[in-house]
Amino acid sequence: MSKTWTTFSNLCIAAALLRIILLLYGEWQDAYLTVKYTDIDYMVFTDAARHVTRGESPYARATYRYTPLLAILLTPNIHWFFSFGKCVFALTDILVGYLIHEILVLRGMPSEKALWLDSLWLLNPMVANISTRGNAESLLAAMVLGTLYLIITRRFYPACALFGLAVHFKIYPIIYAVPLLFLLDKRYGDPVEFPHMMWSYQQTRLYSISVYDRALGQARGILRQCALFFTPSRILFGAVSAAVFFALTWCMYQLYGDEFLQHTYLYHITRKDHRHNFSVWFYQMYLAFDAPVAGKLMGLLAFVPQIALIAIAGTVFAKDIFFACFIQTFLFVTFNKVCTSQYFMWYICLLPLILPSTTIRFRWKGLILIAAWAAAQVSHPPLILF
């Protein structure tokens, strides 16, 4: 192939054409076939947006379990045209591809070589299908990759704000706090001019460490390790991200009250769903579904290995922020109580960023792994879903 064709712009055009074709096909299938192309979740989003346009709560739509921001974003589904949200999700796919490309180039990969990795997202038929059917996972992928991109380009406050927004939008990105905080070490330095209060804290912190060292030597005591870890950058990242998260949460609570907290966050703690068969817990939850005590206990116990593995992975692999985020997400999805195909997008968007640091080559090992992954989905018993 001529090198004049192998550009990122042309790859984006190809990706956009793929999504336009799927959007048009989806309109035809919805109009003429019994089985619809549009995902049921998109119908839920749209119904919630309709309630918002009427001045009602989006939670008047049963099974809407998301932040009201998503329903507000999709109000043009009602005012303009039904597939507005699908177009937004498809365009966000392209944005995610752009972020993947920029991060790969920033890490030293030539732009032309990065195209092969970009295509794992941009030309991935599963990704395109999920977005054009009306799932909003690409929005979250853009927030997560946007946070990582802003952090490595040292745009500190925008990164904090975007991370807070991502956690508000869907709570799971909080798992990335562990590797992100480890990233903000002395090698990262001071990314911004800190407020005067933080400089006072820094002087007190350094003085306390020097006093501790003179008294006890450089022993690895708990107090010394805590003082070394809680740098101004880390405290400020946590404070600003938390401020954005709680500000958004407070605003939504003022609008919709307890039902916002219940449906957006608390529901997922005790959620029991035996009809999503990619979860490793689905059969145990299926057996205990009608048991009031055992069912709730099963829903809570499922968090134990999930949280433990995520925390350990985030700490052990923190030196490589992208690999740490990938392995955390993979573990989170694998051990989650609910797992459907769109959840795989949470780690597929991170996969191109870690492949350069592995020994996996597309031929033949990569092909075998892709085939095995696809076969596992196809062969998994689908009956529980219906």
Side-chain angles (χ1 to χ4, degrees):
M1 182 183 293
S2 171
K3 287 189 176 182
T4 58
W5 287 97
T6 54
T7 65
F8 182 69
S9 297
N10 288 336
L11 179 61
C12 288
I13 291 171
L17 287 174
L18 171 62
R19 284 156 177 80
I20 290 171
I21 291 170
L22 289 174
L23 286 169
L24 294 175
Y25 170 77
E27 294 294 314
W28 177 86
Q29 181 173 328
D30 286 350
Y32 294 102
L33 298 185
T34 303
V35 177
K36 306 302 182 184
Y37 182 83
T38 299
D39 193 282
I40 186 62
D41 285 348
Y42 191 73
M43 306 304 296
V44 173
F45 299 160
T46 303
D47 289 345
R50 184 176 290 107
H51 284 295
V52 170
T53 62
R54 295 171 180 170
E56 301 167 354
S57 167
Y59 303 105
R61 195 341 174 154
T63 73
Y64 184 78
R65 314 290 187 187
Y66 312 89
T67 172
L69 289 181
L70 180 59
I72 294 169
L73 174 66
L74 298 185
T75 51
N77 284 12
I78 312 302
H79 295 306
W80 296 353
F81 63 101
F82 174 73
S83 294
F84 171 83
K86 295 181 183 179
C87 296
V88 170
F89 303 152
L91 286 172
T92 309
D93 271 355
I94 309 298
L95 173 60
V96 172
Y98 169 79
L99 290 169
I100 291 171
H101 185 79
E102 288 297 303
I103 291 171
L104 288 170
V105 172
L106 282 172
R107 300 187 79 191
M109 179 172 286
S111 180
E112 187 172 330
K113 188 177 179 181
L115 296 179
W116 295 100
L117 295 170
D118 302 335
S119 64
L120 291 176
W121 174 269
L122 288 171
L123 299 183
N124 189 321
M126 178 180 175
V127 170
N129 173 259
I130 287 173
S131 293
T132 55
R133 290 186 67 215
N135 275 289
E137 306 308 328
S138 59
L139 294 179
L140 203 61
M143 293 179 200
V144 170
L145 289 182
T147 299
L148 295 175
Y149 175 75
L150 291 170
I151 279 287
I152 63 176
T153 55
R154 305 179 69 79
R155 301 174 198 179
F156 185 75
Y157 287 125
C160 297
L162 190 57
F163 184 66
L165 173 62
V167 176
H168 169 81
F169 203 84
K170 190 166 283 189
I171 199 70
Y172 96 87
I174 192 68
I175 65 178
Y176 304 133
V178 175
L180 282 170
L181 288 174
F182 274 100
L183 176 67
L184 298 173
D185 57 12
K186 61 182 179 182
R187 291 173 296 178
Y188 189 81
D190 300 330
V192 292
E193 184 68 28
F194 294 125
H196 178 73
M197 181 175 64
M198 292 307 299
W199 282 121
S200 300
Y201 163 77
Q202 175 73 331
Q203 291 173 348
T204 304
R205 169 178 164 270
L206 294 176
Y207 175 75
S208 300
I209 293 172
S210 65
V211 170
Y212 186 97
D213 289 345
R214 285 197 300 270
L216 301 174
Q218 293 189 0
R220 298 176 66 87
I222 294 177
L223 292 177
R224 185 177 188 276
Q225 293 304 311
C226 288
L228 287 172
F229 182 80
F230 289 107
T231 62
S233 295
R234 286 167 173 157
I235 290 177
L236 205 57
F237 180 85
V240 176
S241 299
V244 172
F245 169 78
F246 284 114
L248 290 170
T249 301
W250 181 83
C251 289
M252 295 302 104
Y253 183 78
Q254 293 303 306
L255 289 173
Y256 301 112
D258 290 339
E259 62 178 354
F260 155 67
L261 294 178
Q262 176 60 39
H263 291 291
T264 304
Y265 301 126
L266 300 180
Y267 164 79
H268 299 282
I269 296 175
T270 57
R271 179 180 183 181
K272 295 187 297 180
D273 194 337
H274 65 293
R275 296 184 179 274
H276 291 79
N277 67 328
F278 288 125
S279 172
V280 297
W281 306 108
F282 92 92
Y283 189 60
Q284 289 85 351
M285 298 192 77
Y286 175 73
L287 294 177
F289 189 78
D290 293 324
V293 177
K296 288 185 178 180
L297 187 62
M298 183 69 211
L300 292 172
L301 288 177
F303 284 114
V304 176
Q306 186 185 43
I307 293 173
L309 289 169
I310 288 169
I312 293 169
T315 304
V316 171
F317 299 109
K319 290 185 178 179
D320 185 341
I321 181 68
F322 299 105
F323 186 79
C325 291
F326 173 83
I327 199 67
Q328 280 188 306
T329 313
F330 187 88
L331 290 168
F332 182 90
V333 172
T334 301
F335 289 93
N336 202 34
K337 293 184 295 181
V338 178
C339 182
T340 56
S341 293
Q342 62 261 34
Y343 286 30
F344 300 145
M345 290 178 67
W346 297 356
Y347 61 76
I348 289 175
C349 68
L350 294 162
L351 182 61
L353 303 178
I354 68 160
L355 284 178
S357 59
T358 70
T359 59
I360 298 174
R361 296 294 177 264
F362 182 72
R363 199 177 58 179
W364 293 98
K365 190 174 183 179
L367 278 173
I368 293 172
L369 290 172
I370 291 172
W373 183 76
Q377 292 195 62
V378 172
S379 64
H380 206 288
L383 297 178
I384 291 295
L385 285 171
F386 302 101

